[in-house]
């Protein structure tokens, strides 16, 4: 079961992915998380990514395509995976197809821009290596001092500042149309309109119903 989640940053991809991982037992591959890990460890790749991420612009396609090919060749991807944050450009989508990778379903979360800004302003990430949960101040159980699940410290991301958010949203609307059309033509696109009252579990309910229709089996 090979999935792609497409949504603007802050659109709820990460939270949806967490719920899919639990039920379907496939890894979630977040290119944003991979890049942040490299930056934290000060690797060469991390240094390249630094300037792009801080400015809220995309890391070059060739770098990202190599990262993803490497990652999905790992053993834990044998039964499938979720791609969260990849592809971000049409080039990246075509590169997947050219590599012979057949995606079973592409889920788009269609979220209004003002809702995104509101959500990003309230986003806190858990520092815990095993946990790394993306909290939002509006989630049940949120506590401001530490992660309510694992008690690690929580932090707000640098690129969740208003100027970087605006650039990321502009990037998203510039690039996403072509990607969505590409998968629509392939017949794999499933779009969910996310309204302000939607919590992650509500989005998941809609998506999971679709997966059942496609014949995906839970593990
Ligand atoms: P995210 O956590 O998905 O919002 O990603 C954070 C940042 O990492 C983005 O704003 C980009 O600068 C970079 N990034 C993540 N995934 C990609 C990708 N597939 N292509 C290019 N840049 C990416």
């Amino acid at each position: 079961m090979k999935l792609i989640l497409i949504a603007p940053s802050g659109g709820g991809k990460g939270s949806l992915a967490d719920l899919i991982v639990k039920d379907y037992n496939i890894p979630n591959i977040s290119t944003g998380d991979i890049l942040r890990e490299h930056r934290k460890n000060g690797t060469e790749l991390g240094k390249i990514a630094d300037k792009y991420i801080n400015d809220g612009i995309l890391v070059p396609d060739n770098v990202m395509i190599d990262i993803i090919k490497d990652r999905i060749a790992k053993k834990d991807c044998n039964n499938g995976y979720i791609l969260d944050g990849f592809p971000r450009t049409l080039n990246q989508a075509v590169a997947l197809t050219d590599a012979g990778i057949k995606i079973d379903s592409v889920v788009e979360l269609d979220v209004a821009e003002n809702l995104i800004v509101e959500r990003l302003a309230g986003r806190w990430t858990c520092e815990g290596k095993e946990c790394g949960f993306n909290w939002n101040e509006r989630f049940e159980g949120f506590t401001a001092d530490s992660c309510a699940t694992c008690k690690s410290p929580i932090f707000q991301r640098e690129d969740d500042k208003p100027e970087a958010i605006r650039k990321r949203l502009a990037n998203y609307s510039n690039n996403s149309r072509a990607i969505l059309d590409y998968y629509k033509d392939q017949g794999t696109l499933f779009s969910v309109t996310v309204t302000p009252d939607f919590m992650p579990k509500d989005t998941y309910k809609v998506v999971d119903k679709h997966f059942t229709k496609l014949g995906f089996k839970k593990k």
Side-chain angles (χ1 to χ4, degrees), residues 4-41:
I4 289 176
L5 302 185
I6 299 185
S9 299
K13 268 180 297 149
S15 304
L16 175 63
D18 286 345
L19 295 170
I20 298 173
V21 166
K22 244 191 227 157
D23 272 358
Y24 288 90
N25 197 25
I26 49 174
N28 179 41
I29 299 174
S30 154
T31 43
D33 284 351
I34 293 176
L35 293 172
R36 277 185 287 280
E37 189 65 23
H38 277 279
R39 293 174 81 195
K40 206 163 103 189
N41 296 333

Side-chain angles (χ1 to χ4, degrees), residues 9 31-32 35-36 57-59 64 85-86 88 92 157:
S9 299
T31 43
L35 293 172
R36 277 185 287 280
I57 56 176
L58 293 180
V59 174
M64 296 312 302
F86 188 98
R88 284 274 232 293
Q92 293 180 10
R157 280 168 43 174

Side-chain angles (χ1 to χ4, degrees), residues 135-149 151:
W135 282 99
N136 197 287
E137 286 167 9
R138 65 198 192 99
F139 286 1
E140 209 177 285
F142 172 81
T143 48
D145 47 344
S146 62
C147 174
T149 308
K151 307 297 172 212

Side-chain angles (χ1 to χ4, degrees), residues 166-190:
R166 260 194 298 279
K167 272 195 198 154
R168 280 151 76 197
L169 288 176
N171 272 337
Y172 179 76
S173 57
N174 283 341
N175 291 317
S176 62
R177 195 66 264 155
I179 303 171
L180 295 171
D181 286 347
Y182 180 75
Y183 288 119
K184 198 171 174 187
D185 287 348
Q186 293 192 355
T188 48
L189 183 66
F190 180 69

